[in-house]
Amino acid sequence: MPTAESVTPTSDTVTAELEPVFHVCGLARIYGEGEAAVTALAGVDFDLFAGELIVLLGASGSGKSTLLNQLGGLDSPTRGTLHYRGWDLGGADEPGLTQFRRNAVGFVFQAYNLIPSLTARENVALIAEIARDPMTPEEALHLVGLGERMDHFPAQLSGGEQQRVAIARAIAKRPEVLLCDEPTGALDVRTGITVLEAIEHINRELGTLSVIITHNAIIADMAGRVFTLSDGRLVNVRANTHRAPVRTLAW
Amino acid sequence: MSILDRKLLRDLRALKSQALAVALVMACGLAMMIVTRSLILSLTTTRDTYYERYRFAQVFARLKRAPNFVRAQLAAIPGVATVQSGIAIQVTLDVPGLAEPAVGLLNSLPEHGAPVLNLPYLRAGRLPQSHTARTELAVSEAFADAHGLKPGDTLSAVLNGRKEFFQLSGISLSPEFVFEAPPGAALPDNKTYGVFWAPYKELATAFQLYGAFNNVALTLAPGASEGAVIAAVDRIIAPYGGRGTFGRENHPSHRRLDDEIRVLQGLSIAYPVVFLSVAAFMVNSVMSRQVALQREQIAMLKACGFSNAQVGRHYFKFSLAIVVVGVALGTAGGIILGGKLVAMYHLFFRFPQLAFVLDTHVLVLAAAVSSLAAFIGVAGAVRRAVRLPPAEAMRPEAPASYRPAFIERFRAAHWFSASFRMALRNIQRRPVRSALTCLALALATGIMIVPNAFRDGVAYVLDFQWDVVQRQTATLSLVEPQAARAIADFRHLPGVELAEPFRYVPIELRSGPIVRRMNLQGLSAHATLSRVIDARPQQLTLPERGVVISAKLADVLRVKPGDFLIVHTLEGEERDVTVPLAGLADDFAGIAAYMEIHAVNRLMLEGDRINGAHLVVTAAKWSEFLHAVKNTPRAAGCVIKASIREGFRQTTAQSIGLLQKMYMMFAVIVAFGIIYNSARISLSERARELATLRVLGFTRGEVGAVLVGELVLLTIVALPFGLALGSAFARGILSVVNTETVRLPLVLTPANYAFAVLVVAVASALSALFAARKLANIDLVSALKALD
Ligand SMILES: Nc1ncnc2c1ncn2[C@@H]1O[C@H](COP(=O)(O)OP(=O)(O)OP(=O)(O)O)[C@@H](O)[C@H]1O
Ligand SMILES: [Mg+2]
């Protein structure tokens, strides 16, 4: 697997000469067979580059989660090309996918998915057991603005705090890619903003390629590029000339 | 089929391996219950019909010699229905192919007509007849089997000092000798002890008893008092050398069979209770999880108007399905095991036919108790389900809250890995469930200890008997008791380093109404080969006066050292001698009586006489020794210790081997079932957590380790606890099993413990691996779908 390059382009500097992190071509995912077959992704093409912040929009059932899961190595495509830095991620076997997730990807879900029996610090420290060059849990938690409350169990934390712990855990391994599926879906506006700020901060500080799924079009303003999916197809790609700071968003 | 039942079937299909694990544990308990109850039924019905058809007597008496007219006096006692008198006498046998002399108990058949009580059952050939060219004998089946004897074979016996030849006319059995062992022996030794039947005339003539009898058996009229009849018989036979009258409860064969049934009765309750409790716990954990998973469904059902009873019944039916499978498997297992155990009983108890009879009542009972166990298991879970207010249940369960585990307060806890902490905290969060899982694993370990403790106990007894008590290499016995000078001849045999004389006299030992038959063993006070060992355990020096008996025999006779006993000699001039009880011997196999050899001679009113000698022979001259023995005319037989020892080892290995396999299977099923079930439940409860770990990049193996870490910890805690529990089981069972006839010491060896630990650890590990395979099926994407 290729190592992460040190180049950290912003959306403004994206050029064709740069090697993409993800190269996606004709990507399709069909669930089931025959009569019952459901086409979740009907062939999408795009490239994603290092340091970008992408927002994925689309109606419910349009295939956003399916696409994100393909990028994160949680699921394999039915058809099409999916390359991660020139490596055939779409055709990888189970151990290959596990290594990919272990070293290259951080996930954040709507349901925070923290381990209830571990404290915030320990949830992050868990990564240290498997990652090659992890941050200390304290460092990761500071990055998401959770310096205190490190020794609380998930049940003792608010939703926003739990989600920030989840982000800290996702980035503690210094992943190349951060994939967030409706990270603010279960949160109120104010808490949602703190969470998005954490993601934005990481994208800027560490240059982590971040993909955020949301139903909320306003959030799209923080992105460099906004992808819109409909019925499993990529119907629109919009590049923001100006990335709005999260703080200024309101919904 | 109602929709709810259809749901039930689908739920069951989803949980089939867990349901099967529970059903298997349940089946173990039921199989044990079915086997033991059916064996009790088989043994009692076979015994009762055998006793009835072949007219087993109810009261027995032995005497020296009474003229035949006394029989009429006995028959006239109020309450006596039938009387049969005859001769029963012990003789020394010379069996072809057997180096040592065997002992035969010869019973007379009536001179005129057929026997009226204790009828022999003919297996082959015919009953012996008078006036044939050569005197005929019928032989017991056990002895015939041990020596491969058939009708037509010949055999010689020493009758009243004269060697006579007999022809075997047939092979038979008798309700009097269902358990056929020398007086006082714990295990049947069919090579050296046999029962025979001979025509009255031949036997009476040989022993100068013609026109008289020395043995009487009788039955009681309905409603008669056994005690009164025994007292009356005693009074009548007293002038004729009466040696005690006893009922069935003191009849050696009947008592041994009764002991066995009592042990089975104990097991028929203890084991099912243990296994069904474990099964109840497993049902509870499966159902609790099921109810937790179906919170929303339960709420929906109730919101739709289903009553609490309907919902409760639905989940109860679920566990009933497990019961049905458990009962089916248990019955099948019980029938298979029962067949094997019955075959094993054939080694000990001889019936015309002992077939495994399935106790059908016990099937109903089995279904009832396992339903009860399932009901107890399911009740708590269902109560929680129906109590749930619908609105509450519609919401997902609140996230589990955790605390740092207790032991993390210690400084070393700093080094615990995250997965170890997860395991500790999970255990602590569900203390009851963890404790019960631990207990069930401990039970599995414990039941493994029992058969091996038996095996080691038997080995200990054999070692004790042959290394501590009997230290000779060989025992030479004489045809007839001879002057002590004979020992000089033995000392001159090649290779003999040491020779110590012994005198064996068959006796009856009596204290009040209780009588036991055995050999009185006369040994030198300071014998170094065949020794008497006390409870300390140290060699007991036989005193000049008095008798030393097995501690257990003293219990039976209700005497203590210093009390007096009546020794009735059964050799030569029969007489009663009162002797003091001088000490107690700590021995295991059966019952025995010892006396200083000269004291025996005085008791027998004889000079220095011996029956033979115990010898130490150098290995270097062993073959020369054997050769010389064969050419010593006076030596009736030579018992070689090593070969007897091997014989015993094989018989016991055969029966214990079967038990061992059975218990090991049970232990494996419980360990496997418990671990599998627990692993599957954690897998279900923690699916999201485990999926998260996979998403974070943990490999399947690493996640598997997190899943089973908790179980590994519980197993580690359970093992030592199980060893303690098993030791307690073994002690408890031995205290029930230990009787006058069979006694075993509690011997617990490191090898026993190690094996139990190994079996349970391996079974647990395999089952955890088996359950962890399910990790491959976790769908990462759907497990992480947002909570709705
Ligand atoms: N495991 C599956 N089996 C069958 N069909 C599936 C499966 N997962 C998703 N689908 C279908 O694929 C389509 C796309 O689903 P996906 O979860 O990607 O949508 P989404 O855009 O993330 O929607 P939402 O905004 O509601 O999360 C949907 O029609 C869905 O029903
Ligand atoms: Mg989605």
Side-chain angles (χ1 to χ4, degrees), chain A residues 41-140:
Chain A
L41 281 179
V44 290
D45 311 273
F46 58 83
D47 285 343
L48 299 181
F49 296 90
E52 278 195 287
L53 194 142
I54 310 284
V55 163
L56 263 182
L57 291 176
S60 183
S62 56
K64 305 181 295 292
S65 299
T66 306
L67 178 58
L68 199 78
N69 294 338
Q70 303 285 329
L71 296 178
L74 289 179
D75 190 19
S76 297
T78 312
R79 266 200 320 271
T81 312
L82 170 58
H83 282 179
Y84 167 75
R85 291 203 173 276
W87 173 67
D88 184 10
L89 170 59
D93 60 359
E94 172 53 41
L97 288 178
T98 301
Q99 285 307 314
F100 170 67
R101 291 197 300 266
R102 174 179 286 214
N103 298 313
V105 195
F107 275 102
V108 177
F109 296 96
Q110 178 179 349
Y112 329 114
N113 291 320
L114 297 178
I115 310 290
S117 57
L118 297 179
T119 61
R121 188 202 304 268
E122 288 164 347
N123 260 286
V124 180
L126 196 58
I127 293 304
E129 290 184 10
I130 52 166
R132 279 192 297 224
D133 172 30
M135 300 178 195
T136 64
E138 291 75 16
E139 196 183 337

Side-chain angles (χ1 to χ4, degrees), chain B residues 294-316:
Chain B
Q294 302 190 346
R295 271 167 72 92
E296 290 92 346
Q297 299 179 29
I298 294 169
M300 183 276 293
L301 289 174
K302 286 168 71 174
C304 295
F306 282 90
S307 71
N308 281 350
Q310 278 171 312
V311 172
R313 209 156 44 229
H314 173 65
Y315 286 97
F316 185 58

Side-chain angles (χ1 to χ4, degrees), chain B residues 310-365:
Chain B
Q310 278 171 312
V311 172
R313 209 156 44 229
H314 173 65
Y315 286 97
F316 185 58
K317 269 193 201 164
F318 195 111
S319 56
L320 270 189
I322 296 177
V323 168
V324 168
V325 178
V327 170
L329 289 175
T331 307
I335 291 173
I336 294 170
L337 274 179
K340 294 194 181 216
L341 282 171
V342 154
M344 187 183 91
Y345 273 112
H346 189 67
L347 286 175
F348 299 97
F349 301 110
R350 296 289 179 149
F351 291 101
Q353 193 183 11
L354 178 61
F356 180 73
V357 184
L358 184 65
D359 185 346
T360 41
H361 291 114
V362 83
L363 293 184
V364 178
L365 188 67

